[in-house]
Amino acid sequence: MNLTMFTDYSLRLLIYVALKPEGELSNIQEIAQVYRISSNHLMKSVHKLGKLGLLHTIRGRNGGFRLAKRPEEINIGQVVREMEENWNLVACFDAENGTCVLSPTCRLKNVLGEALNAYFAVLERYTLADIVVNRRAMSALLGFNHPVIGGE
């Protein structure tokens, strides 16, 4: 099972913003440069994360974005669920377009569904705060030149 680049970039974006000093704005260009990823993809992530109420975006010349919630309030499992569009692991998961002739009697759908639920159960145990617990080391890797307040 793979997450899409969209979800990967969205999670990395949240990590970056969570490591900034409280209230400090981030922008797409700086994040794209640090992670060496597409600013176009990040723009889509910022838009969706804003619509989900996870980022507060500010327009204008001095605009940017910051977390709209505390890192402790941002659940990783919920972010992954919202960012991914399709959880149809196999054809039988898709009730409308599934083409497998075994669907009426095959238990594979149930087994894979149970595995998917277990996957989310693990992700939902963690928040963004759990991910950025080693703030000092992560901030240094991102090239932040500010003192880290709180955390390691």
Side-chain angles (χ1 to χ4, degrees):
M1 171 187 236
N2 287 337
L3 295 178
T4 61
M5 276 193 332
F6 181 64
T7 301
D8 176 26
Y9 290 179
S10 298
L11 290 168
R12 288 200 251 171
L13 186 145
L14 287 171
I15 291 168
Y16 185 95
V17 176
L19 290 169
K20 290 283 226 166
E22 191 172 332
E24 189 174 312
L25 296 177
S26 297
N27 66 61
I28 291 169
Q29 289 73 30
E30 71 183 272
I31 296 172
Q33 184 176 3
V34 166
Y35 285 132
R36 297 182 189 111
I37 58 180
S38 164
S39 59
N40 288 335
H41 289 320
L42 285 174
M43 205 175 315
K44 294 174 189 173
S45 293
V46 168
H47 178 72
K48 184 150 185 184
L49 291 167
K51 286 178 74 172
L52 292 172
L54 300 176
L55 289 181
H56 176 69
T57 58
I58 299 160
R59 293 179 175 254
R61 195 173 119 192
N62 295 319
F65 48 87
R66 62 178 169 252
L67 292 179
K69 295 180 176 185
R70 292 182 11 248
E72 297 81 15
E73 299 172 320
I74 298 176
N75 183 276
I76 298 301
Q78 290 173 343
V79 172
V80 170
R81 279 185 194 271
E82 291 290 338
M83 301 314 280
E84 291 289 321
E85 292 183 7
N86 184 345
W87 290 106
N88 294 333
L89 300 181
V90 289
C92 57
F93 273 39
D94 186 349
E96 293 178 23
N97 301 313
T99 58
C100 182
V101 296
L102 296 175
S103 287
T105 60
C106 182
R107 292 205 27 145
L108 180 61
K109 179 179 180 178
N110 296 339
V111 171
L112 292 173
E114 184 179 340
L116 184 59
N117 289 336
Y119 173 78
F120 279 115
V122 170
L123 291 177
E124 287 168 356
R125 291 193 325 236
Y126 297 94
T127 67
L128 184 57
D130 297 318
I131 304 302
V132 297
V133 71
N134 53 348
R135 298 178 68 82
R136 185 175 309 282
M138 293 179 91
S139 293
L141 289 169
L142 293 174
F144 291 165
N145 295 322
H146 61 77
V148 176
I149 300 168
E152 186 180 289

